[in-house]
Amino acid sequence: MRLKDKVAVVTGGASGIGEAAVRDMVEEGARVVIADISDESGEKLARKLNEDHNEKKAVYCHVDVSNEEETQKMVKTAERKFERLDILFCNAGIGDIAMTDELKLEKWQKVIDVNLTGVFLCIKAAIPVMKKTGGGSIINCASILGHVGQAQTASYTASKGGVVNMTRALAAEYADEGIRVNAVCPGYIDTPLLDGLDENMKNHLISRHPIGRFGTPEEVAKATTFLASDDASFITGANLLVDGGYTAV
Ligand SMILES: NC(=O)c1ccc[n+]([C@@H]2O[C@H](COP(=O)([O-])OP(=O)(O)OC[C@H]3O[C@@H](n4cnc5c(N)ncnc54)[C@H](O)[C@@H]3O)[C@@H](O)[C@H]2O)c1
């Protein structure tokens, strides 16, 4: 029960890595606000966790992370329902694949709005509430593509590179407030985000991971819970690669 009595917000918590993180944090004793735009799956997950545990372990809150008002409401929901906020997992994200000379400005902007500005807005909303109780742990979901490049991913790599370095800046900024800021940087993980890839592409990408497979959402969730917990009390500004060795070769 490494997160006993802690309260967490997980953005993009209704699917994939976010859903696995919500489940793992609840298993470790936390109460969780699931923040997403996917209302049906988010509500369903909260209901299931509350039924399974026979107490209020999770609430769902509709939040578009690129909307400042909604991120403020998300943090207020944590305070109203669970009275505090200790952990923020900024995980909501979207992908895009396009040649840069054909990439429409609106599509570029959308990816930056959700993946980078969304992280900024969620953290901006959370910091004042974390300060009230003397600190907290923020984990951002970046990517291997915040560390290495890949063709046809200009907007995505730019957003994740931004998250990697913003993580370092905020770690320095809030260390004396007791707030740690870290990131997990997954390799390719088997979630709905990969649904658009054909089999050839999937096999090619698998071959880039020395471990020889895609990761699972649960494997990223375990690393996230570690960073969220007091086991990581001297870790801040770190970008933890969870990538099966992708960036090692
Ligand atoms: N799957 C991978 O291979 C992989 C690799 C590296 C990093 N990541 C990162 O992991 C994170 C989670 O991705 P996933 O693979 O679990 O994908 P996913 O599509 O399964 O889940 C993403 C979730 O984010 C939500 N979301 C999308 N836009 C939102 C918005 N504006 N506001 C709030 N919620 C929003 C979606 O509804 C969905 O529930 C993303 O940041 C992604 O970039 C994924």
Side-chain angles (χ1 to χ4, degrees):
M1 297 293 264
R2 286 184 297 171
L3 305 182
K4 192 168 173 335
D5 299 329
K6 306 270 189 201
V7 174
V9 166
V10 177
T11 73
S15 169
I17 293 168
E19 176 181 347
V22 169
R23 289 181 183 280
D24 198 58
M25 287 180 187
V26 167
E27 281 307 310
E28 293 285 352
R31 289 167 295 159
V32 183
V33 175
I34 303 164
D36 208 298
I37 49 174
S38 184
D39 299 340
E40 208 178 313
S41 0
E43 300 274 14
K44 192 169 156 200
L45 177 59
R47 237 185 351 260
K48 175 90 176 77
L49 288 166
N50 293 334
E51 278 165 18
D52 288 354
H53 288 81
N54 220 5
E55 63 174 300
K56 194 121 196 115
K57 292 301 245 172
V59 293
Y60 174 73
C61 180
H62 176 98
V63 182
D64 174 350
V65 293
S66 63
N67 179 312
E68 183 159 22
E69 229 170 86
E70 292 185 20
T71 58
Q72 296 284 342
K73 188 189 77 182
M74 168 182 89
V75 167
K76 287 200 177 80
T77 300
E79 274 199 299
R80 205 179 61 247
K81 299 282 183 183
F82 298 133
E83 284 150 25
R84 55 188 293 132
L85 177 60
D86 306 286
I87 298 159
L88 170 66
F89 183 29
C90 297
N91 161 78
I94 54 174
D96 192 30
I97 294 180
M99 292 297 287
T100 303
D101 59 328
E102 292 168 4
L103 176 58
K104 297 257 188 311
L105 176 59
E106 300 78 53
K107 287 205 90 181
W108 160 275
Q109 196 60 57
K110 175 79 184 163
V111 173
I112 299 294
D113 283 350
V114 175
N115 292 8
L116 182 57
T117 310
V119 171
F120 155 66
L121 290 175
C122 291
I123 292 176
K124 183 183 171 190
I127 294 273
V129 182
M130 287 183 168
K131 277 184 184 173
K132 286 187 201 171
T133 51
S137 174
I138 296 170
I139 306 100
N140 298 322
C141 193
S143 168
I144 48 170
L145 297 184
H147 296 266
V148 296
Q150 185 174 298
Q152 300 187 29
T153 63
S155 58
Y156 188 82
T157 49
S159 69
K160 296 300 186 180
V163 169
V164 163
N165 223 21
M166 182 166 56
T167 297
R168 298 183 180 117
L170 300 191
E173 200 171 325
Y174 292 105
D176 63 356
E177 303 275 3
I179 299 171
R180 295 183 295 104
V181 187
N182 293 292
V184 284
C185 302
Y188 282 86
I189 307 299
D190 195 5
T191 74
L193 200 71
L194 304 191
D195 281 353
L197 300 175
D198 65 33
E199 281 309 302
N200 279 345
M201 186 49 138
K202 282 190 178 172
N203 288 333
H204 166 69
L205 290 172
I206 285 171
S207 75
R208 301 281 307 267
H209 298 71
I211 282 185
R213 60 175 175 82
F214 288 148
T216 66
E218 290 73 24
E219 287 171 313
V220 182
K222 290 288 176 200
T224 306
T225 295
F226 164 66
L227 290 172
S229 77
D230 293 341
D231 288 348
S233 52
F234 199 54
I235 302 179
T236 196
N239 282 281
L240 178 55
L241 290 155
V242 187
D243 71 350
Y246 188 106
T247 53
V249 291

